[in-house]
Amino acid sequence: MAGINAATKLIDNKFDGKIIILDMGKDPHKRLPSEVMTGMLGAGGWSDGKLTYHTAIGGQLSKYCGEDKAMELMDQVITNFKRFHPKPEEVQCSNPVAEPDFIKPQFGLRLFPVWHVGTDYLLEIAKNWYQYLVDNGVCFEWETKVYDIDFDNKFISAKDNNQQEVRSSYDELIFGVGKSGIDFGKSLAEQYNLPTEPKSVQIGVRFEAPQKHFQKLIDVSYDFKLYRKFDDKGVSLRSFCTNNNAAYVAVEETYGNYSYNGHAKKDEKYRNDMTNFGIIMELNGIEDPFTWSRDLVKKLQVEGKGLYYSPTRTPSLTSEGDNVSAFQIDSTDMDEVREIFEGYFSYIDSFIDGMIEIFPTLKDDWGMYIPEVKYLSPEPLVDYTNLALTKYPNVHFVGDALSARGITVSGAQGIYVAEDILDKQRIVRIFTDKTYSIK
Ligand SMILES: Cc1cc2nc3c(=O)[nH]c(=O)nc-3n(C[C@H](O)[C@H](O)[C@H](O)COP(=O)(O)OP(=O)(O)OC[C@H]3O[C@@H](n4cnc5c(N)ncnc54)[C@H](O)[C@@H]3O)c2cc1C
């Protein structure tokens, strides 16, 4: 996403250098629907294509360039999608109404516009966009996995799908490997000892209840995002990734431990009329957040599983009909959990109490799977004006490899870097143009 938006910006502005895109995935003609993470249009651009349009959603953008510039960059990404869309008039923006009054005593509800590209059109968009870039001289090397980058000598090493070496030097490098390249980004950060931004801890529980209790809110906002903020304590909480109708809790095994997440099925035959969502706390100011989270998750395992607590319910079934794998604990065990959380669990308790107050039928009819965790990869420290590494000014980190979590923000970061490269080119032109004289 970041890469092709950057390349498009460069092409549109008559960049006179050579652009090479190395990607371990496939071109849009060969890429299979099941290849979710890699290839032309990146991750969500291939499967979902929802373009969020707000600076508070989808990761960091305005932090680098300010609010107005961020919106302008996101506009450019949306324009690109429309431009290569076979029916641009069908790209629609949904802009939810104001927060409903009944939630206000307890929560804020984050509402934001989303442009819906339409999943049925993503393949055609990918092909049209690809053709435009190829026709304008961009050189794609598909199924080519970069395994090493020598930042000091400006050199890339990769292997193609026949295990043949592919090598290339570069003047400017845009590093946009997305989630599928997160480990590669991490290993480069360690190898080059790159300074990083301080990160927060993101941990909580996966909450589950019959959907009927939340229907009033779901009618206003399907994927509702309730939030609470305690700025003075460096703590904020939000509901995260809401699933409805055919909603299932899933085990995630990371670093050998269980944590929980959720997903929804589209097929009616899976309908279970349940709702699940994460209640995620963002904790700032914890030294070494990664180790802290991992230690906490380790302590929340019994008999090799995560935990389940409910005042009245038992764990529900997975979409395959098995029990969600979790060790059920009682209210006495919950006190131990609260201790393990070093006091932070009181925020989750109070979030649930708040929901019980505004959704009066909820009462004790809920359960929670403990823990849900988001291990954030270290974010390399960059020059905010062009997203270049502070140690290597010609290496730009963009998209999910930096601090993005969505299509629009990733694409916008790519365009932001391209604008900087175009500016540099202009400066070089001025100094190499013999007819130009400085007065
Ligand atoms: C299933 C799914 C659905 C999503 N839906 C949405 C949505 O609807 N809306 C939204 O805003 N966001 C969505 N997202 C998130 C969004 O897709 C990403 O935030 C965005 O694509 C990130 O852009 P990027 O440029 O950083 O990386 P990507 O778009 O993921 O592109 C990275 C590319 O780098 C390549 N690559 C990785 N490592 C290497 C390597 N070592 N060598 C060579 N190539 C490499 C990959 O093949 C890939 O093509 C979704 C994500 C997923 C997984």
Side-chain angles (χ1 to χ4, degrees), residues 1-3 22-25 36-39 41-45 47-50 52 144-146 176-181 184 398-401 405-408 410:
M1 262 308 134
L22 299 165
D23 197 303
M24 66 183 180
V36 176
M37 304 298 286
T38 62
L41 278 197
S47 54
D48 263 2
K50 287 195 217 78
T52 56
T144 300
K145 182 168 183 172
V146 179
V177 292
K179 279 271 182 297
S180 57
F184 183 40
V398 286
D400 285 359
R405 285 193 302 269
I407 294 172
T408 337
S410 299

Side-chain angles (χ1 to χ4, degrees), residues 388-399:
L389 296 178
T390 48
K391 283 170 83 171
Y392 299 97
N394 63 337
V395 178
H396 310 263
F397 270 53
V398 286

